[in-house]
Amino acid sequence: MKIAIVGCGYVGKAIARRWSQDGHWVTATTTRPERIAELKEVAGDAVAMRGDDVEAMRNLLQDQEAVLVSVGDRTRTQYKETYLGTAANLVATLPQAPALKQIIYTSSCSVYGDKKGEWVDEESPVAPASDKTQTLWDTEQALLRVSSPELRVCILRLGGIYGPGREIVKIFRNVAGKTRPGTGAEPTNWIHLDDIIGALEFVRLKRSQGIYNLVHDVSLTSRELLDGLCERHGLAKVSWDRSAPSTRSYNARVSNQKIREAGYQLIHPETML
């Protein structure tokens, strides 16, 4: 297939390598021209562009059969332009992209907001708690509106991303021995890079449509995760201040049952500490 990847950060670069190795022609994009040479090592071609540049999007999508939107986190002032601008321009250029049959977008489970630690699935109402999560939700809706039997749109709502070079111990090492607000009872939802790559290939092959949560089978609480992490790596234990309210706006236990019932088998069903 000819596949365009809009946004080649941690996830985009990894899936570009996988798809190129599988024989697909991948065109990777970046907003930083200095990364072109780096991306050409994992993709057939690389283009410096912004997703909110409609002319660049039109040129990118010509002859593409699938597009992955995997734009990364940006500054608060650019966040809406990056995500919604990319989605709007992609939709606007569809009439000039007749070969395009599939859109995949990596969103976030954070759109569920504060569910008081209760279980949620893809049918649960979202409750964006910030401009950032509202933008993620709005981007999902902009893309889902153009879904049809001919143009399949699939949304993967990812848990917290970790993997090689972004191990959980690196993410949390600086909190060892410190006191955090709350009880640590909030559930955490993580997903390893290996499973993001596996699931992206899975939904591409099946031409999946609709929304799928992508998280581990087992959801540890914040306390369980940090206790286990500190014990495994010999770090000072984290303390909790029950008198201080938790600062987390995202508090939900996310179910991955839908994607498992569709046939995807997780490589890492539990969080790797």
PDB file of all heavy atoms in Angstrom, residues 222-254:
ATOM      1  N   SER A 222      -2.531   4.073  40.706  1.00  0.00           N
ATOM      2  CA  SER A 222      -1.295   4.860  40.776  1.00  0.00           C
ATOM      3  C   SER A 222      -0.391   4.343  41.886  1.00  0.00           C
ATOM      4  O   SER A 222       0.832   4.245  41.728  1.00  0.00           O
ATOM      5  CB  SER A 222      -1.614   6.333  41.020  1.00  0.00           C
ATOM      6  OG  SER A 222      -2.275   6.899  39.918  1.00  0.00           O
ATOM      7  N   ARG A 223      -0.993   4.004  43.037  1.00  0.00           N
ATOM      8  CA  ARG A 223      -0.212   3.501  44.169  1.00  0.00           C
ATOM      9  C   ARG A 223       0.439   2.160  43.810  1.00  0.00           C
ATOM     10  O   ARG A 223       1.629   1.947  44.088  1.00  0.00           O
ATOM     11  CB  ARG A 223      -1.100   3.343  45.399  1.00  0.00           C
ATOM     12  CG  ARG A 223      -0.365   2.774  46.621  1.00  0.00           C
ATOM     13  CD  ARG A 223      -1.333   2.503  47.757  1.00  0.00           C
ATOM     14  NE  ARG A 223      -1.838   3.726  48.346  1.00  0.00           N
ATOM     15  CZ  ARG A 223      -1.217   4.405  49.323  1.00  0.00           C
ATOM     16  NH1 ARG A 223      -0.068   3.960  49.803  1.00  0.00           N
ATOM     17  NH2 ARG A 223      -1.750   5.492  49.818  1.00  0.00           N
ATOM     18  N   GLU A 224      -0.319   1.260  43.215  1.00  0.00           N
ATOM     19  CA  GLU A 224       0.228  -0.045  42.840  1.00  0.00           C
ATOM     20  C   GLU A 224       1.366   0.102  41.840  1.00  0.00           C
ATOM     21  O   GLU A 224       2.407  -0.563  41.965  1.00  0.00           O
ATOM     22  CB  GLU A 224      -0.871  -0.924  42.244  1.00  0.00           C
ATOM     23  CG  GLU A 224      -1.899  -1.400  43.254  1.00  0.00           C
ATOM     24  CD  GLU A 224      -3.093  -2.059  42.601  1.00  0.00           C
ATOM     25  OE1 GLU A 224      -3.354  -1.772  41.405  1.00  0.00           O
ATOM     26  OE2 GLU A 224      -3.781  -2.849  43.286  1.00  0.00           O
ATOM     27  N   LEU A 225       1.169   0.964  40.871  1.00  0.00           N
ATOM     28  CA  LEU A 225       2.206   1.153  39.865  1.00  0.00           C
ATOM     29  C   LEU A 225       3.488   1.708  40.470  1.00  0.00           C
ATOM     30  O   LEU A 225       4.588   1.195  40.227  1.00  0.00           O
ATOM     31  CB  LEU A 225       1.690   2.078  38.751  1.00  0.00           C
ATOM     32  CG  LEU A 225       2.642   2.306  37.585  1.00  0.00           C
ATOM     33  CD1 LEU A 225       1.892   2.303  36.264  1.00  0.00           C
ATOM     34  CD2 LEU A 225       3.405   3.628  37.721  1.00  0.00           C
ATOM     35  N   LEU A 226       3.365   2.767  41.276  1.00  0.00           N
ATOM     36  CA  LEU A 226       4.557   3.405  41.829  1.00  0.00           C
ATOM     37  C   LEU A 226       5.218   2.545  42.906  1.00  0.00           C
ATOM     38  O   LEU A 226       6.454   2.504  42.993  1.00  0.00           O
ATOM     39  CB  LEU A 226       4.201   4.787  42.377  1.00  0.00           C
ATOM     40  CG  LEU A 226       3.828   5.809  41.299  1.00  0.00           C
ATOM     41  CD1 LEU A 226       3.384   7.120  41.920  1.00  0.00           C
ATOM     42  CD2 LEU A 226       4.986   6.055  40.337  1.00  0.00           C
ATOM     43  N   ASP A 227       4.413   1.840  43.706  1.00  0.00           N
ATOM     44  CA  ASP A 227       5.001   0.932  44.690  1.00  0.00           C
ATOM     45  C   ASP A 227       5.801  -0.163  43.984  1.00  0.00           C
ATOM     46  O   ASP A 227       6.934  -0.484  44.368  1.00  0.00           O
ATOM     47  CB  ASP A 227       3.912   0.289  45.552  1.00  0.00           C
ATOM     48  CG  ASP A 227       3.407   1.215  46.656  1.00  0.00           C
ATOM     49  OD1 ASP A 227       3.982   2.314  46.807  1.00  0.00           O
ATOM     50  OD2 ASP A 227       2.435   0.839  47.348  1.00  0.00           O
ATOM     51  N   GLY A 228       5.208  -0.756  42.959  1.00  0.00           N
ATOM     52  CA  GLY A 228       5.885  -1.821  42.225  1.00  0.00           C
ATOM     53  C   GLY A 228       7.120  -1.333  41.505  1.00  0.00           C
ATOM     54  O   GLY A 228       8.163  -2.007  41.473  1.00  0.00           O
ATOM     55  N   LEU A 229       7.027  -0.149  40.942  1.00  0.00           N
ATOM     56  CA  LEU A 229       8.150   0.425  40.203  1.00  0.00           C
ATOM     57  C   LEU A 229       9.331   0.704  41.136  1.00  0.00           C
ATOM     58  O   LEU A 229      10.480   0.353  40.838  1.00  0.00           O
ATOM     59  CB  LEU A 229       7.692   1.722  39.524  1.00  0.00           C
ATOM     60  CG  LEU A 229       8.633   2.334  38.492  1.00  0.00           C
ATOM     61  CD1 LEU A 229       8.646   1.479  37.235  1.00  0.00           C
ATOM     62  CD2 LEU A 229       8.174   3.752  38.153  1.00  0.00           C
ATOM     63  N   CYS A 230       9.031   1.328  42.279  1.00  0.00           N
ATOM     64  CA  CYS A 230      10.099   1.671  43.223  1.00  0.00           C
ATOM     65  C   CYS A 230      10.749   0.420  43.805  1.00  0.00           C
ATOM     66  O   CYS A 230      11.971   0.356  43.977  1.00  0.00           O
ATOM     67  CB  CYS A 230       9.544   2.563  44.345  1.00  0.00           C
ATOM     68  SG  CYS A 230       9.065   4.222  43.781  1.00  0.00           S
ATOM     69  N   GLU A 231       9.920  -0.594  44.092  1.00  0.00           N
ATOM     70  CA  GLU A 231      10.464  -1.837  44.640  1.00  0.00           C
ATOM     71  C   GLU A 231      11.358  -2.532  43.614  1.00  0.00           C
ATOM     72  O   GLU A 231      12.453  -2.995  43.947  1.00  0.00           O
ATOM     73  CB  GLU A 231       9.330  -2.766  45.047  1.00  0.00           C
ATOM     74  CG  GLU A 231       9.795  -4.072  45.666  1.00  0.00           C
ATOM     75  CD  GLU A 231       8.649  -4.943  46.117  1.00  0.00           C
ATOM     76  OE1 GLU A 231       7.495  -4.480  46.114  1.00  0.00           O
ATOM     77  OE2 GLU A 231       8.914  -6.108  46.479  1.00  0.00           O
ATOM     78  N   ARG A 232      10.915  -2.587  42.379  1.00  0.00           N
ATOM     79  CA  ARG A 232      11.677  -3.293  41.357  1.00  0.00           C
ATOM     80  C   ARG A 232      13.013  -2.623  41.065  1.00  0.00           C
ATOM     81  O   ARG A 232      14.007  -3.298  40.797  1.00  0.00           O
ATOM     82  CB  ARG A 232      10.858  -3.392  40.073  1.00  0.00           C
ATOM     83  CG  ARG A 232      11.625  -3.994  38.896  1.00  0.00           C
ATOM     84  CD  ARG A 232      10.715  -4.381  37.777  1.00  0.00           C
ATOM     85  NE  ARG A 232       9.739  -5.380  38.201  1.00  0.00           N
ATOM     86  CZ  ARG A 232       9.253  -6.327  37.393  1.00  0.00           C
ATOM     87  NH1 ARG A 232       9.671  -6.418  36.162  1.00  0.00           N
ATOM     88  NH2 ARG A 232       8.357  -7.184  37.843  1.00  0.00           N
ATOM     89  N   HIS A 233      13.048  -1.294  41.119  1.00  0.00           N
ATOM     90  CA  HIS A 233      14.257  -0.573  40.722  1.00  0.00           C
ATOM     91  C   HIS A 233      15.035  -0.015  41.913  1.00  0.00           C
ATOM     92  O   HIS A 233      15.956   0.789  41.734  1.00  0.00           O
ATOM     93  CB  HIS A 233      13.888   0.555  39.748  1.00  0.00           C
ATOM     94  CG  HIS A 233      13.326   0.035  38.449  1.00  0.00           C
ATOM     95  ND1 HIS A 233      14.122  -0.400  37.410  1.00  0.00           N
ATOM     96  CD2 HIS A 233      12.039  -0.128  38.043  1.00  0.00           C
ATOM     97  CE1 HIS A 233      13.353  -0.803  36.408  1.00  0.00           C
ATOM     98  NE2 HIS A 233      12.086  -0.649  36.757  1.00  0.00           N
ATOM     99  N   GLY A 234      14.648  -0.426  43.124  1.00  0.00           N
ATOM    100  CA  GLY A 234      15.383  -0.005  44.296  1.00  0.00           C
ATOM    101  C   GLY A 234      15.301   1.481  44.580  1.00  0.00           C
ATOM    102  O   GLY A 234      16.274   2.090  45.055  1.00  0.00           O
ATOM    103  N   LEU A 235      14.157   2.069  44.313  1.00  0.00           N
ATOM    104  CA  LEU A 235      13.963   3.504  44.527  1.00  0.00           C
ATOM    105  C   LEU A 235      13.205   3.740  45.828  1.00  0.00           C
ATOM    106  O   LEU A 235      12.478   2.870  46.319  1.00  0.00           O
ATOM    107  CB  LEU A 235      13.180   4.109  43.352  1.00  0.00           C
ATOM    108  CG  LEU A 235      13.795   3.930  41.958  1.00  0.00           C
ATOM    109  CD1 LEU A 235      12.830   4.420  40.887  1.00  0.00           C
ATOM    110  CD2 LEU A 235      15.123   4.675  41.860  1.00  0.00           C
ATOM    111  N   ALA A 236      13.366   4.939  46.370  1.00  0.00           N
ATOM    112  CA  ALA A 236      12.646   5.305  47.594  1.00  0.00           C
ATOM    113  C   ALA A 236      11.141   5.320  47.326  1.00  0.00           C
ATOM    114  O   ALA A 236      10.683   5.810  46.297  1.00  0.00           O
ATOM    115  CB  ALA A 236      13.113   6.673  48.085  1.00  0.00           C
ATOM    116  N   LYS A 237      10.377   4.792  48.264  1.00  0.00           N
ATOM    117  CA  LYS A 237       8.940   4.659  48.085  1.00  0.00           C
ATOM    118  C   LYS A 237       8.242   6.012  48.051  1.00  0.00           C
ATOM    119  O   LYS A 237       8.648   6.959  48.734  1.00  0.00           O
ATOM    120  CB  LYS A 237       8.363   3.805  49.218  1.00  0.00           C
ATOM    121  CG  LYS A 237       6.938   3.332  48.985  1.00  0.00           C
ATOM    122  CD  LYS A 237       6.502   2.352  50.067  1.00  0.00           C
ATOM    123  CE  LYS A 237       5.081   1.883  49.831  1.00  0.00           C
ATOM    124  NZ  LYS A 237       4.646   0.895  50.848  1.00  0.00           N
ATOM    125  N   VAL A 238       7.195   6.091  47.257  1.00  0.00           N
ATOM    126  CA  VAL A 238       6.385   7.307  47.162  1.00  0.00           C
ATOM    127  C   VAL A 238       5.370   7.327  48.309  1.00  0.00           C
ATOM    128  O   VAL A 238       4.775   6.303  48.654  1.00  0.00           O
ATOM    129  CB  VAL A 238       5.654   7.360  45.810  1.00  0.00           C
ATOM    130  CG1 VAL A 238       4.662   8.528  45.761  1.00  0.00           C
ATOM    131  CG2 VAL A 238       6.657   7.452  44.667  1.00  0.00           C
ATOM    132  N   SER A 239       5.194   8.499  48.926  1.00  0.00           N
ATOM    133  CA  SER A 239       4.192   8.682  49.977  1.00  0.00           C
ATOM    134  C   SER A 239       2.983   9.407  49.401  1.00  0.00           C
ATOM    135  O   SER A 239       3.073  10.093  48.374  1.00  0.00           O
ATOM    136  CB  SER A 239       4.777   9.480  51.139  1.00  0.00           C
ATOM    137  OG  SER A 239       5.898   8.816  51.697  1.00  0.00           O
ATOM    138  N   TRP A 240       1.850   9.276  50.101  1.00  0.00           N
ATOM    139  CA  TRP A 240       0.608   9.902  49.641  1.00  0.00           C
ATOM    140  C   TRP A 240       0.024  10.768  50.748  1.00  0.00           C
ATOM    141  O   TRP A 240      -0.013  10.371  51.901  1.00  0.00           O
ATOM    142  CB  TRP A 240      -0.398   8.834  49.213  1.00  0.00           C
ATOM    143  CG  TRP A 240       0.110   8.023  48.062  1.00  0.00           C
ATOM    144  CD1 TRP A 240       0.856   6.879  48.128  1.00  0.00           C
ATOM    145  CD2 TRP A 240      -0.042   8.328  46.684  1.00  0.00           C
ATOM    146  NE1 TRP A 240       1.180   6.447  46.869  1.00  0.00           N
ATOM    147  CE2 TRP A 240       0.625   7.314  45.957  1.00  0.00           C
ATOM    148  CE3 TRP A 240      -0.675   9.348  45.976  1.00  0.00           C
ATOM    149  CZ2 TRP A 240       0.686   7.296  44.569  1.00  0.00           C
ATOM    150  CZ3 TRP A 240      -0.629   9.332  44.584  1.00  0.00           C
ATOM    151  CH2 TRP A 240       0.042   8.321  43.899  1.00  0.00           C
ATOM    152  N   ASP A 241      -0.426  11.954  50.376  1.00  0.00           N
ATOM    153  CA  ASP A 241      -1.029  12.896  51.316  1.00  0.00           C
ATOM    154  C   ASP A 241      -2.538  12.860  51.140  1.00  0.00           C
ATOM    155  O   ASP A 241      -3.101  13.493  50.236  1.00  0.00           O
ATOM    156  CB  ASP A 241      -0.488  14.309  51.056  1.00  0.00           C
ATOM    157  CG  ASP A 241      -1.055  15.333  52.025  1.00  0.00           C
ATOM    158  OD1 ASP A 241      -1.888  14.951  52.879  1.00  0.00           O
ATOM    159  OD2 ASP A 241      -0.667  16.507  51.921  1.00  0.00           O
ATOM    160  N   ARG A 242      -3.219  12.081  52.001  1.00  0.00           N
ATOM    161  CA  ARG A 242      -4.660  11.895  51.883  1.00  0.00           C
ATOM    162  C   ARG A 242      -5.440  13.175  52.127  1.00  0.00           C
ATOM    163  O   ARG A 242      -6.616  13.288  51.731  1.00  0.00           O
ATOM    164  CB  ARG A 242      -5.131  10.823  52.855  1.00  0.00           C
ATOM    165  CG  ARG A 242      -4.601   9.430  52.538  1.00  0.00           C
ATOM    166  CD  ARG A 242      -4.956   8.426  53.625  1.00  0.00           C
ATOM    167  NE  ARG A 242      -4.528   7.083  53.261  1.00  0.00           N
ATOM    168  CZ  ARG A 242      -5.278   6.212  52.595  1.00  0.00           C
ATOM    169  NH1 ARG A 242      -6.501   6.557  52.242  1.00  0.00           N
ATOM    170  NH2 ARG A 242      -4.816   5.013  52.301  1.00  0.00           N
ATOM    171  N   SER A 243      -4.804  14.162  52.777  1.00  0.00           N
ATOM    172  CA  SER A 243      -5.506  15.406  53.068  1.00  0.00           C
ATOM    173  C   SER A 243      -5.553  16.338  51.861  1.00  0.00           C
ATOM    174  O   SER A 243      -6.302  17.308  51.850  1.00  0.00           O
ATOM    175  CB  SER A 243      -4.827  16.132  54.236  1.00  0.00           C
ATOM    176  OG  SER A 243      -3.521  16.563  53.869  1.00  0.00           O
ATOM    177  N   ALA A 244      -4.749  16.035  50.843  1.00  0.00           N
ATOM    178  CA  ALA A 244      -4.691  16.882  49.650  1.00  0.00           C
ATOM    179  C   ALA A 244      -5.440  16.209  48.506  1.00  0.00           C
ATOM    180  O   ALA A 244      -5.252  15.015  48.260  1.00  0.00           O
ATOM    181  CB  ALA A 244      -3.242  17.140  49.251  1.00  0.00           C
ATOM    182  N   PRO A 245      -6.304  16.934  47.817  1.00  0.00           N
ATOM    183  CA  PRO A 245      -7.054  16.319  46.711  1.00  0.00           C
ATOM    184  C   PRO A 245      -6.124  15.976  45.551  1.00  0.00           C
ATOM    185  O   PRO A 245      -5.149  16.682  45.285  1.00  0.00           O
ATOM    186  CB  PRO A 245      -8.059  17.412  46.324  1.00  0.00           C
ATOM    187  CG  PRO A 245      -7.421  18.694  46.757  1.00  0.00           C
ATOM    188  CD  PRO A 245      -6.635  18.357  47.992  1.00  0.00           C
ATOM    189  N   SER A 246      -6.452  14.887  44.878  1.00  0.00           N
ATOM    190  CA  SER A 246      -5.680  14.510  43.697  1.00  0.00           C
ATOM    191  C   SER A 246      -5.801  15.592  42.628  1.00  0.00           C
ATOM    192  O   SER A 246      -6.846  16.228  42.485  1.00  0.00           O
ATOM    193  CB  SER A 246      -6.194  13.179  43.142  1.00  0.00           C
ATOM    194  OG  SER A 246      -5.591  12.899  41.892  1.00  0.00           O
ATOM    195  N   THR A 247      -4.751  15.795  41.870  1.00  0.00           N
ATOM    196  CA  THR A 247      -4.758  16.817  40.812  1.00  0.00           C
ATOM    197  C   THR A 247      -5.098  16.222  39.454  1.00  0.00           C
ATOM    198  O   THR A 247      -5.098  16.932  38.456  1.00  0.00           O
ATOM    199  CB  THR A 247      -3.375  17.480  40.731  1.00  0.00           C
ATOM    200  OG1 THR A 247      -2.382  16.474  40.507  1.00  0.00           O
ATOM    201  CG2 THR A 247      -3.059  18.236  42.019  1.00  0.00           C
ATOM    202  N   ARG A 248      -5.410  14.930  39.408  1.00  0.00           N
ATOM    203  CA  ARG A 248      -5.686  14.271  38.132  1.00  0.00           C
ATOM    204  C   ARG A 248      -7.095  14.588  37.652  1.00  0.00           C
ATOM    205  O   ARG A 248      -8.079  14.401  38.368  1.00  0.00           O
ATOM    206  CB  ARG A 248      -5.503  12.759  38.248  1.00  0.00           C
ATOM    207  CG  ARG A 248      -4.065  12.324  38.374  1.00  0.00           C
ATOM    208  CD  ARG A 248      -3.950  10.817  38.284  1.00  0.00           C
ATOM    209  NE  ARG A 248      -4.524  10.302  37.053  1.00  0.00           N
ATOM    210  CZ  ARG A 248      -4.560   9.014  36.754  1.00  0.00           C
ATOM    211  NH1 ARG A 248      -4.088   8.122  37.594  1.00  0.00           N
ATOM    212  NH2 ARG A 248      -5.087   8.610  35.610  1.00  0.00           N
ATOM    213  N   SER A 249      -7.211  15.037  36.411  1.00  0.00           N
ATOM    214  CA  SER A 249      -8.528  15.320  35.828  1.00  0.00           C
ATOM    215  C   SER A 249      -9.041  14.121  35.037  1.00  0.00           C
ATOM    216  O   SER A 249     -10.204  14.084  34.635  1.00  0.00           O
ATOM    217  CB  SER A 249      -8.436  16.536  34.900  1.00  0.00           C
ATOM    218  OG  SER A 249      -7.480  16.317  33.873  1.00  0.00           O
ATOM    219  N   TYR A 250      -8.180  13.135  34.814  1.00  0.00           N
ATOM    220  CA  TYR A 250      -8.546  11.934  34.076  1.00  0.00           C
ATOM    221  C   TYR A 250      -8.526  10.765  35.054  1.00  0.00           C
ATOM    222  O   TYR A 250      -7.489  10.396  35.573  1.00  0.00           O
ATOM    223  CB  TYR A 250      -7.535  11.738  32.929  1.00  0.00           C
ATOM    224  CG  TYR A 250      -7.465  10.371  32.311  1.00  0.00           C
ATOM    225  CD1 TYR A 250      -8.618   9.672  31.959  1.00  0.00           C
ATOM    226  CD2 TYR A 250      -6.238   9.779  32.036  1.00  0.00           C
ATOM    227  CE1 TYR A 250      -8.542   8.421  31.375  1.00  0.00           C
ATOM    228  CE2 TYR A 250      -6.146   8.541  31.445  1.00  0.00           C
ATOM    229  CZ  TYR A 250      -7.311   7.862  31.113  1.00  0.00           C
ATOM    230  OH  TYR A 250      -7.217   6.622  30.525  1.00  0.00           O
ATOM    231  N   ASN A 251      -9.704  10.216  35.344  1.00  0.00           N
ATOM    232  CA  ASN A 251      -9.818   9.180  36.364  1.00  0.00           C
ATOM    233  C   ASN A 251     -10.850   8.157  35.919  1.00  0.00           C
ATOM    234  O   ASN A 251     -12.030   8.231  36.263  1.00  0.00           O
ATOM    235  CB  ASN A 251     -10.205   9.805  37.708  1.00  0.00           C
ATOM    236  CG  ASN A 251     -10.301   8.783  38.827  1.00  0.00           C
ATOM    237  OD1 ASN A 251      -9.922   7.627  38.659  1.00  0.00           O
ATOM    238  ND2 ASN A 251     -10.818   9.205  39.968  1.00  0.00           N
ATOM    239  N   ALA A 252     -10.393   7.194  35.104  1.00  0.00           N
ATOM    240  CA  ALA A 252     -11.291   6.165  34.582  1.00  0.00           C
ATOM    241  C   ALA A 252     -10.519   4.872  34.391  1.00  0.00           C
ATOM    242  O   ALA A 252      -9.321   4.886  34.118  1.00  0.00           O
ATOM    243  CB  ALA A 252     -11.893   6.615  33.252  1.00  0.00           C
ATOM    244  N   ARG A 253     -11.210   3.765  34.547  1.00  0.00           N
ATOM    245  CA  ARG A 253     -10.625   2.446  34.305  1.00  0.00           C
ATOM    246  C   ARG A 253     -11.097   2.022  32.916  1.00  0.00           C
ATOM    247  O   ARG A 253     -12.275   1.739  32.707  1.00  0.00           O
ATOM    248  CB  ARG A 253     -11.092   1.465  35.380  1.00  0.00           C
ATOM    249  CG  ARG A 253     -10.252   0.197  35.478  1.00  0.00           C
ATOM    250  CD  ARG A 253     -10.760  -0.677  36.609  1.00  0.00           C
ATOM    251  NE  ARG A 253     -10.695  -0.011  37.906  1.00  0.00           N
ATOM    252  CZ  ARG A 253      -9.636  -0.038  38.715  1.00  0.00           C
ATOM    253  NH1 ARG A 253      -8.550  -0.698  38.338  1.00  0.00           N
ATOM    254  NH2 ARG A 253      -9.670   0.579  39.879  1.00  0.00           N
ATOM    255  N   VAL A 254     -10.188   1.972  31.967  1.00  0.00           N
ATOM    256  CA  VAL A 254     -10.547   1.832  30.555  1.00  0.00           C
ATOM    257  C   VAL A 254     -10.542   0.361  30.125  1.00  0.00           C
ATOM    258  O   VAL A 254      -9.563  -0.360  30.342  1.00  0.00           O
ATOM    259  CB  VAL A 254      -9.590   2.654  29.667  1.00  0.00           C
ATOM    260  CG1 VAL A 254      -9.954   2.488  28.195  1.00  0.00           C
ATOM    261  CG2 VAL A 254      -9.633   4.131  30.061  1.00  0.00           C
TER     262      VAL A 254
END
